[in-house]
């Protein structure tokens, strides 16, 4: 949550209701709950700042101003100035890029970054990548294995097959156990 109290409380509320259900639905419900807040936060930004913020969010990993500038087809100096403004506003944080002395930027509140990813990209492979990132951020390795086992033992209804397959693929990308990974991939392939 990047220390954001409101998001932490929303996560607490979700967890207090129990997360034994469908992980995807839990995440979608949480994203729906934060949409008014995040949408208002994003729309408060100037148009050019929105473009820079969006380009940075799409990268997920810390990135330099030049990389973000390339993604949004703006001059690096303009992007650098916008990133500094976002930093001052607390939406972006500065991080060291690898072992170099270069400074990179990333969205400070990672769940806000995830919201931007999920709400602005509609392609299935992107959704799966973002769902995978969510699972890796939200659950530890043992919990993901337990979710994977539960997923394998659940038979979806015909109208839930696609969502079930998506979650199986995403979970397969997060577990270390090869047998579990193959079983989840097999289940997803069969459902698709």
């Amino acid at each position: 949550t990047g220390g954001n109290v409101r998001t932490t409380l929303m996560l607490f509320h979700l967890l207090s209701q129990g997360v034994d259900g469908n992980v995807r639905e839990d995440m979608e419900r949480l994203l729906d709950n934060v949409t008014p807040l995040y949408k208002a936060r994003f729309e408060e930004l100037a148009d050019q700042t929105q473009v820079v913020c969006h380009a940075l969010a799409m990268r997920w990993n810390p990135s330099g101003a030049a990389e973000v500038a390339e993604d949004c087809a703006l001059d690096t100096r303009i992007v650098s100035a916008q990133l500094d403004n976002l930093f001052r506003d607390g939406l972006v944080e500065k991080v060291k890029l690898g072992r170099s002395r270069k400074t990179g930027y990333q969205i400070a509140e990672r769940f806000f970054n995830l919201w931007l990813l999920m709400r602005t990209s509609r392609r299935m492979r992107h959704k799966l990548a973002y769902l995978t990132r969510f699972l890796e951020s939200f659950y530890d390795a043992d919990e993901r294995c337990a979710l994977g086992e539960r997923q394998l033992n659940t038979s979806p209804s015909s109208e839930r097959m696609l969502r079930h397959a998506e979650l199986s693929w995403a979970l397969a990308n997060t577990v270390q156990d090869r047998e579990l990974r193959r079983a989840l991939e097999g289940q997803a392939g069969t459902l698709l």
Side-chain angles (χ1 to χ4, degrees), residues 147-158:
L147 285 169
E149 294 290 343
R150 252 195 328 259
Q151 182 76 357
L152 289 174
N153 294 318
T154 304
S155 298
S157 61
S158 59

Side-chain angles (χ1 to χ4, degrees), residues 9-27:
L9 288 172
M10 287 182 183
L11 279 170
F12 174 78
H13 181 67
L14 175 73
L15 293 172
S16 70
Q17 294 174 349
V19 291
D20 293 330
N22 183 314
V23 174
R24 169 111 188 196
E25 288 176 10
D26 290 341
M27 184 182 68

Side-chain angles (χ1 to χ4, degrees), residues 19-175:
V19 291
D20 293 330
N22 183 314
V23 174
R24 169 111 188 196
E25 288 176 10
D26 290 341
M27 184 182 68
E28 289 288 339
R29 190 173 70 220
L30 185 57
L31 287 170
D32 289 342
N33 287 343
V34 297
T35 291
L37 168 68
Y38 287 165
K39 185 176 183 203
R41 183 185 297 172
F42 189 72
E43 289 177 352
E44 285 175 357
L45 302 173
D47 291 345
Q48 193 173 62
T49 310
Q50 285 182 12
V51 170
V52 171
C53 185
H54 181 266
L56 181 63
M58 291 299 114
R59 288 188 152 270
W60 182 263
N61 295 316
S63 303
E67 297 167 316
V68 176
E70 187 177 307
D71 291 349
C72 53
L74 291 171
D75 184 81
T76 303
R77 291 173 296 190
I78 292 171
V79 170
S80 185
Q82 293 294 344
L83 288 169
D84 285 338
N85 290 339
L86 287 165
F87 173 73
R88 277 193 300 279
D89 292 342
L91 289 173
V92 163
E93 62 187 0
K94 293 180 181 181
V95 293
K96 196 173 181 182
L97 288 177
R99 296 178 186 210
S100 72
R101 292 186 175 194
K102 286 187 170 189
T103 299
Y105 299 87
Q106 68 180 13
I107 303 295
E109 187 181 340
R110 304 312 286 157
F111 199 73
F112 179 53
N113 197 139
L114 183 66
W115 177 82
L116 285 166
L117 291 170
M118 292 294 288
R119 294 300 183 214
T120 58
S121 177
R122 299 292 179 222
R123 287 188 228 147
M124 184 180 197
R125 71 182 167 92
H126 289 297
K127 285 176 77 174
L128 293 177
Y130 308 142
L131 180 56
T132 299
R133 288 178 182 153
F134 170 77
L135 291 169
E136 290 171 336
S137 300
F138 202 72
Y139 298 100
D140 67 28
D142 292 337
E143 291 171 322
R144 290 192 307 267
C145 284
L147 285 169
E149 294 290 343
R150 252 195 328 259
Q151 182 76 357
L152 289 174
N153 294 318
T154 304
S155 298
S157 61
S158 59
E159 59 271 355
R160 295 174 99 24
M161 281 190 190
L162 180 60
R163 284 185 179 260
H164 198 86
E166 289 173 351
L167 181 56
S168 293
W169 278 115
L171 281 166
N173 288 321
T174 68
V175 295

